[in-house]
Amino acid sequence: RVLLHPVSGLLAFALVMVTFFQAIFTLAAPLQGYVETFFGWLGGLAAAHLSNPLLADFVSTGLIGGLGGVLVFLPQIVLLFTLLSLLEGVGYLARAAVLMDRVMAVSGLDGRAFVSMLSSIACAVPGIMSTRTMPSSRDRLATMLAAPLMPCSARLPVYLLLTGMLLPSTARWGPF
């Protein structure tokens, strides 16, 4: 009764989501640091043991650095899905989907799309894959098209870079 109430349910939802994301970013940060340190060490080791400078740079920066740049997000994704399965196991995600039905209806989506959108914050691929459980093909397609628009920590630096490149530094927003 409390978790589905229009006022106390939304407050509880906000509290759960703030705690959820704070836990993800706080707990994953040290693990991400370990991954970065490991791949930095591995790249340095490869560069030190390869005699050809071009090959050493390719292996250490391109291959090992590129793999490390992708795997650095693995702790966040694992933690996100662990916490999602915990919330689903206690039955809270079903209640949150009912609560979010009104909010999601504004954008033309079903309340069940909330779980896919939440997954898409970490990565759009699992968010899109999670739409397979939605009963309506129209809702499934709409959620699949909207899921990649959710911001993730990997895309934010790209957005900032593109904004800096495409907008002039003297751009003025609004009437000021």
Side-chain angles (χ1 to χ4, degrees), residues 20-57:
F20 181 80
F21 284 108
Q22 186 63 36
I24 288 173
F25 290 110
T26 302
L27 296 175
L31 298 173
Q32 287 179 297
Y34 294 144
V35 171
E36 283 179 350
T37 302
F38 173 73
F39 279 98
W41 171 79
L42 194 61
L45 188 69
H49 285 85
L50 292 172
S51 59
N52 185 343
L54 188 61
L55 180 64
D57 189 46

Side-chain angles (χ1 to χ4, degrees), residues 99-112:
L99 243 159
M100 294 305 293
D101 195 37
R102 284 188 210 110
V103 176
M104 300 296 274
V106 171
S107 61
L109 296 173
D110 187 41
R112 287 172 274 210

Side-chain angles (χ1 to χ4, degrees), residues 94-155:
R95 287 170 179 78
V98 169
L99 243 159
M100 294 305 293
D101 195 37
R102 284 188 210 110
V103 176
M104 300 296 274
V106 171
S107 61
L109 296 173
D110 187 41
R112 287 172 274 210
F114 161 73
V115 177
S116 297
M117 296 302 217
L118 190 61
S119 299
S120 296
I121 289 175
C123 183
V125 174
I128 291 170
M129 288 173 38
S130 69
T131 62
R132 71 182 185 282
T133 61
M134 297 179 76
S136 165
S137 62
R138 180 197 160 280
D139 291 338
R140 193 169 35 253
L141 181 62
T143 306
M144 282 186 211
L145 292 173
L149 301 176
M150 298 299 290
C152 73
S153 57
R155 283 191 209 134

